């Protein structure tokens, strides 16, 4: 299982998310990452293999300023521990990001279909499929797109989504059997 944290507020989101991930770190995760909405057209994403401290050290040197973020600590279930397999995962232009806890059971079928449509994957995870699927199904309405995505995926999961066109919104979807 993985740890996920999201924050929207008036404080620095990076600090809040890192603090939340630190509280979850007792489980022995293999990588961590964060996506921060800094008010630009795309998210700033930092991912690092190893303990959360590796990510925190990078962010201490080059902090990300913003009031909305999602973060993730990963315990590998798909793909080896690596920066590429760390979350968050994102669409081609980094305007939509997702973190995921759980299993997407039909990810291989979806991944094959998305590759046939020209999507290029950067990780070995089941989670990255969600970001590409959201890009493929995007109808211009963030909430409608998220609903379409969860109709296509099977499994047990929690997902957090951010879209740069919705600078004060984190969409969450949970499916527990």
């Amino acid at each position: 299982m993985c740890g996920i944290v999201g924050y929207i507020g008036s404080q620095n989101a990076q600090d809040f998310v890192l603090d939340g991930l630190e509280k979850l770190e007792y489980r022995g995760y293999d990588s961590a990452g964060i996506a921060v909405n800094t008010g630009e057209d795309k998210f700033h994403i930092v991912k690092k293999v190893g303990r959360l401290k590796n990510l925190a050290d990078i962010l201490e040197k080059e902090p990300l300023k913003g009031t909305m973020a999602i973060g993730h600590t990963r315990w590998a279930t798909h793909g080896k521990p690596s920066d590429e397999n760390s979350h968050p995962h994102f669409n081609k232009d980094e305007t939509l990001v997702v973190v995921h806890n759980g299993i997407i059971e039909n990810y291989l079928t979806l991944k094959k279909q998305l590759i046939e449509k020209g999507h290029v994957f950067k990780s070995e995870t089941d989670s990255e499929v969600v970001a590409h699927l959201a890009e493929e199904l995007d109808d211009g309405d963030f909430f409608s797109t998220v609903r379409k995505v969860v109709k296509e995926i099977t499994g047990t999961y929690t997902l957090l989504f951010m879209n740069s066109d919705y600078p004060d919104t984190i969409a969450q979807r949970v499916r527990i059997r």
Side-chain angles (χ1 to χ4, degrees):
M1 299 302 281
C2 305
I4 59 175
V5 176
Y7 175 82
I8 303 171
S10 59
Q11 304 297 315
N12 185 9
Q14 170 190 297
D15 297 339
F16 185 91
V17 169
L18 286 176
D19 184 56
L21 292 175
E22 186 178 324
K23 287 178 171 75
L24 297 171
E25 192 181 24
Y26 68 91
R27 295 177 173 172
Y29 297 112
D30 62 50
S31 59
I34 189 170
V36 177
N37 182 343
T38 60
E40 299 175 23
D41 290 339
K42 67 178 190 172
F43 294 100
H44 285 264
I45 301 161
V46 180
K47 308 189 302 180
K48 192 66 183 159
V49 72
R51 304 289 295 183
L52 180 61
K53 180 167 181 7
N54 296 351
L55 176 67
D57 287 347
I58 291 169
L59 295 171
E60 185 176 319
K61 293 174 189 165
E62 296 182 40
L64 300 175
K65 301 293 182 191
T67 57
M68 182 171 87
I70 56 176
H72 186 274
T73 51
R74 180 174 181 263
W75 185 1
T77 54
H78 291 92
K80 66 182 186 237
S82 69
D83 291 349
E84 295 79 19
N85 287 335
S86 302
H87 297 219
H89 292 289
F90 45 88
N91 64 346
K92 179 176 52 181
D93 57 4
E94 299 180 13
T95 58
L96 182 134
V97 294
V98 62
V99 293
H100 163 234
N101 181 12
I103 301 290
I104 307 298
E105 294 170 355
N106 61 336
Y107 86 98
L108 286 174
T109 301
L110 292 169
K111 185 173 183 176
K112 180 181 176 195
Q113 292 168 354
L114 290 162
I115 289 170
E116 288 171 358
K117 292 180 178 185
H119 291 262
V120 177
F121 285 78
K122 297 178 181 180
S123 80
E124 303 166 303
T125 69
D126 58 337
S127 307
E128 187 181 5
V129 167
V130 176
H132 286 277
L133 187 60
E135 181 176 13
E136 185 66 29
L137 299 175
D138 186 9
D139 62 8
D141 180 307
F142 182 39
F143 305 106
S144 170
T145 299
V146 169
R147 283 190 296 273
K148 288 180 188 180
V149 168
V150 297
K151 285 181 183 177
E152 294 295 321
I153 59 177
T154 59
T156 303
Y157 54 80
T158 298
L159 297 162
L160 295 183
F161 297 83
M162 289 193 309
N163 181 317
S164 62
D165 290 336
Y166 293 76
D168 59 353
T169 303
I170 296 174
Q172 175 187 8
R173 291 295 180 261
V174 178
R175 180 176 290 154
I176 300 172
R177 292 186 191 181

